[in-house]
Amino acid sequence: MAEHDLSRRGFLRLAGATAVGALMAACQPEVVVETVVQEVEKVVKETVLVEGEEKVVEKVVKETVIVEKEAQRDVLLTFLSQQPTIGEQEPINILFTTFEEEHPGIRVSRITTAAGDDYFTKLVTMTAAGTPPDLFYMPPWNLAYFKDENLLAALDPYVQLRDGGVDPNNIVPGLLEEYSWNGVLLGLPMFASILRIWAYNKDAFDAAGVDYPTRYWGWDEFIEKATAVMTYEGDEPDMWGAFPALGDNAHLLPWLWTFGGDFYNYPDLNACALTRPESIEAMQASVDLLREYKVQPPPEIGPTDLGISFAAGKIATSAVGTGAWVDPANREQSAWPFRFGLIEQPTVKETHCLIHSTGISMSATAADRDTAWELLAFLMSEESQIFYSERTGGISGLLTVGAKYAFADLPPEDHAVINEGMEYARSRVYWRTPVWGANATAAQQIWQAMWLGEITAEEACNQACAEIDPVLEDALSQ
């Protein structure tokens, strides 16, 4: 995969034999000046009388002047990361090093800690002690807690009122929504984003003599092709037609959306929306794939235990996350043993996919927020995002970068699916709801009973809302 050529401002100086490429600095460092009162000497000419004759002589005089000169900054920024260590050759560390080189007088202290509860305990403890990290890793599903505790700085003044180097119109709308709360921007999607789209096995379609899916395919085409592409060994399917991957409720969201349904009422997120006719229709459609059309392996046969999966080449079409096709150990090696194409989720009423990212927030009590913003703007610059995307294989939250550099090997039609999907993707951050985790677990158990044929789709949706609404009402009343 070709590295992006960067040439505008200097070259990245890396340690170690594996360091490759060059990286432009994203934004010019702010020039800090200070006013200084100082005494200077100057030579002046003066006419004097010498033995009755006028002569011009020079003499040195001193005077006090006020001058402005560039100050030498000495700033230490702290970044808290949810990982045990940050290796020298990790992209984020290389970006920090480049920033330091391009901004003399500013240093970045990398603070690491274990993931999960340990990380958030560390963040709260540092803040309570009066030494908050200037910038820190912030997954959007934890935004609610830290927003309520007033730990997050509003970034809008930097984005909107200054030449800060970050154009909000160039951020994926769904990700901008993901990090906004009541119109206030509380973070930026610095790290790789994941988009839920669909993929299809070209080898399976060719073997069955079935045309590939067409862009924005509808429900009828989906069922027709999923049925036609199936093959059998005796009475048992050898190639299944479809797998919508509804294993958790986050992945269920785009399935509900395409039918016009939803999990919670949006944007209030204060009531279950699964009893809406459109939501029931969506859940019935998920049952129909199993029971009526029989194109999806049913849960009772234990498809995972039997090795039936899209990645194993046993299912012709499936919902996937971007990058699932790449071998993590070798990004130029496909993880799928077949030729594939990317496609939108089958559309019934609307076409929406799910996107989410992990970003960086700024402490509301950071000692030098202006300088912290310089670093955050640098990380969110197009040049830094290209660098990070190339090396991690994750799509960027910037529309101008997208998946172009993460998956340079993909054909243009597959890039179009991803890049267009980013524009109509929704984040619909239901994890902001105080009981999302508990609601999701309860609902998932109900869906399993529905898919096993123990209850109808309508009964399942009614049961889910009966579980969700009381818990949600109680949480919101506190």
Side-chain angles (χ1 to χ4, degrees), residues 234-428:
D235 295 332
E236 298 299 321
D238 181 54
M239 174 65 68
W240 292 86
F243 187 70
L246 306 180
D248 65 63
N249 285 290
H251 298 162
L252 178 63
L253 292 174
W255 185 263
L256 288 164
W257 295 336
T258 194
F259 287 84
D262 224 324
F263 197 96
Y264 295 128
N265 62 323
Y266 182 85
D268 297 325
L269 304 181
N270 59 6
C272 178
L274 292 167
T275 52
R276 293 177 182 174
E278 297 86 355
S279 299
I280 295 174
E281 181 185 3
M283 299 315 298
Q284 181 60 54
S286 74
V287 175
D288 291 343
L289 294 182
L290 297 164
R291 307 301 168 193
E292 179 179 352
Y293 303 113
K294 295 181 173 55
V295 295
Q296 178 183 342
E300 59 265 28
I301 71 170
T304 301
D305 295 335
L306 294 176
I308 300 174
S309 69
F310 181 75
K314 298 295 184 179
I315 300 173
T317 67
S318 178
V320 298
T322 48
W325 53 85
V326 176
D327 183 345
N330 180 4
R331 289 195 47 244
E332 296 185 7
Q333 175 65 46
S334 175
W336 293 342
F338 49 81
R339 295 179 306 115
F340 67 90
L342 303 180
I343 195 71
E344 294 80 11
Q345 175 167 296
T347 301
V348 178
K349 294 178 181 177
E350 305 176 33
T351 300
H352 294 291
C353 49
L354 180 70
I355 192 169
H356 69 83
S357 182
T358 297
I360 294 178
S361 291
M362 182 193 301
S363 173
T365 55
D368 190 345
R369 277 182 282 178
D370 288 352
T371 306
W373 171 255
E374 283 189 58
L375 175 55
L376 184 51
F378 171 85
L379 296 174
M380 279 302 298
S381 70
E382 186 171 297
E383 292 83 1
S384 294
Q385 286 291 295
I386 290 172
F387 177 84
Y388 194 86
S389 186
E390 281 181 329
R391 285 153 182 79
T392 63
I395 59 177
S396 167
L398 297 182
L399 292 169
T400 51
V401 179
K404 180 179 180 182
Y405 300 93
F407 311 122
D409 302 345
L410 291 179
E413 58 270 23
D414 288 346
H415 273 292
V417 171
I418 297 175
N419 290 327
E420 290 174 25
M422 292 172 70
E423 296 187 28
Y424 61 72
R426 291 175 173 175
S427 65
R428 307 294 278 255

Side-chain angles (χ1 to χ4, degrees), residues 9 26 52 59 61 64 84 110 150 153 191 237 300 360 393 441 463:
R9 294 186 55 213
K59 66 178 183 178
V61 297
T64 300
R110 292 78 152 164
N150 297 315
F191 299 103
E300 59 265 28
I360 294 178
T441 300
Q463 286 185 26

Side-chain angles (χ1 to χ4, degrees), residues 38-56:
Q38 62 184 30
E39 192 176 70
V40 298
E41 293 183 346
K42 59 187 296 186
V43 177
V44 298
K45 293 182 178 181
E46 187 177 83
T47 302
V48 298
L49 287 175
V50 179
E51 296 180 353
E53 294 183 6
E54 291 185 347
K55 290 188 176 181
V56 178

